[in-house]
Amino acid sequence: MPLHESEAIVLQSYPLGEADRLVSFLSRTMGRMRGVAAGARRPKSRFGSTLERLSHIRIWFFERETRELVRINQCEMIESFLDAFRDYPSSIALALFSEITQAVLPDKEASDANFRLLLLCAQNIKRTSKVEPALAYFALWTVKLGGWLPALDACSRCGRALQANAERNQSAYLSSSASTIVCAECRRPGMRLISPAALAAARRMLTERLDRLDADSVTPRAARDVTEIMLDIIERQIDRKLTSRELLEPA
Ligand SMILES: [Zn+2]
């Protein structure tokens, strides 16, 4: 039974039995895993607050060949997000981050890019208390890293360039399969509107760092539109609704 050490982010934890916790976490080097932290619910447990959601930790655990669950031996806090969870809008966004990460990442497949994305976006919300840009950035890049991002530059049906230009006011539309984006000419009933501002915001987020996106280049409204579009794509891919999405304030 080898002991592993890894940097990790706690995705969620649930009470288990009398005093234990079942912990879902994202290991930087080993991917998404689940394990048992024995005695974690006892007062003065050695785990302290390290198993709170989105805690960035160093974790030591035993992997057992015959069992899916690892045995968590020890955790050390690198960065806590408890304070950010006290702000309601921030807490909803952070809950969405953890729900989406659990839903889209396969078991035990390391993805350094997804790990860094999760940490970056959680830190951004903690630092700024601004939810919209980080949420949009997280959703967009999750879709991009999953390989599900439709072409943003040209209509997938007729090939016409999609204008991210508000003055021309040519909107684009997300197909009902949430897999392609089409122009106004090729639009079909039931497709979700993508405003020129949202299209421009999405393009910008693919090339600009999150901390360089200011309210002038990406308005909260445009960011929110990007979020809704990307969450549609994610829900289509995982074939179910995201529970935490219902808690988002209406756009
Ligand atoms: Zn078209």
Side-chain angles (χ1 to χ4, degrees):
M1 233 174 31
L3 177 67
H4 296 281
E5 178 190 340
S6 162
E7 193 182 337
I9 299 170
V10 176
L11 298 175
Q12 204 159 5
S13 78
Y14 317 83
L16 179 73
E18 296 261 301
D20 305 344
R21 277 194 172 279
L22 179 63
V23 185
S24 164
F25 63 95
L26 184 64
S27 155
R28 186 160 200 162
T29 49
M30 298 177 73
R32 190 169 62 77
M33 310 188 82
R34 295 196 311 151
V36 175
R41 275 155 63 227
R42 292 208 181 93
K44 297 184 184 169
S45 145
R46 69 181 185 281
F47 293 105
S49 64
T50 54
L51 302 177
E52 298 292 337
R53 218 197 279 200
L54 291 190
S55 288
H56 180 205
I57 58 175
R58 185 156 298 287
I59 189 169
W60 288 263
F61 60 88
F62 292 102
E63 206 174 8
R64 296 177 287 192
E65 277 176 22
T66 53
R67 299 201 198 163
E68 188 209 343
L69 297 176
V70 302
R71 186 156 67 79
I72 300 171
N73 191 55
Q74 190 191 339
C75 299
E76 242 173 50
M77 186 73 86
I78 300 174
E79 181 173 12
S80 163
F81 290 89
L82 263 183
D83 282 347
F85 270 98
R86 291 197 180 101
D87 173 59
Y88 184 72
S90 299
S91 75
I92 303 303
L94 295 171
L96 254 173
F97 290 173
S98 86
E99 185 182 358
I100 290 171
T101 302
Q102 291 186 87
V104 304
L105 293 189
D107 260 1
K108 299 185 180 176
E109 244 177 64
S111 167
D112 196 58
N114 285 96
F115 185 96
R116 283 186 288 118
L117 176 66
L118 176 59
L119 187 59
L120 172 82
C121 293
Q123 286 172 333
N124 185 272
I125 285 187
K126 177 180 166 182
R127 197 178 65 243
T128 66
S129 299
K130 286 195 192 114
V131 169
E132 299 299 355
L135 196 49
Y137 193 87
F138 180 82
L140 175 74
W141 273 97
T142 298
V143 167
K144 169 87 175 159
L145 292 170
W148 312 315
L149 189 66
L152 299 178
D153 52 350
C155 169
S156 71
R157 194 177 285 255
C158 72
R160 188 175 298 144
L162 296 171
Q163 303 288 342
N165 183 335
E167 280 131 48
R168 299 196 183 183
N169 201 23
Q170 289 178 330
S171 297
Y173 295 84
L174 181 67
S175 70
S176 38
S177 64
S179 56
T180 56
I181 293 177
V182 301
C183 72
E185 302 284 316
C186 300
R187 169 192 187 186
R188 296 281 176 277
M191 290 185 171
R192 180 191 276 280
L193 170 75
I194 306 173
S195 67
L199 196 59
R203 289 182 187 171
R204 197 168 169 94
M205 285 182 186
L206 289 175
T207 56
E208 190 61 279
R209 280 170 35 181
L210 175 56
D211 59 3
R212 294 221 184 110
L213 298 171
D214 52 34
D216 293 332
S217 58
V218 175
T219 64
R221 175 66 210 218
R224 184 51 184 274
D225 287 350
V226 172
T227 299
E228 297 291 346
I229 294 156
M230 297 304 147
L231 295 184
D232 277 0
I233 296 175
I234 290 169
E235 287 184 342
R236 194 76 191 190
Q237 288 296 331
I238 62 175
D239 204 20
R240 65 178 172 82
K241 298 281 176 200
L242 293 160
T243 317
S244 337
R245 183 178 187 178
E246 289 168 17
L247 303 173
L248 284 176
E249 305 277 317

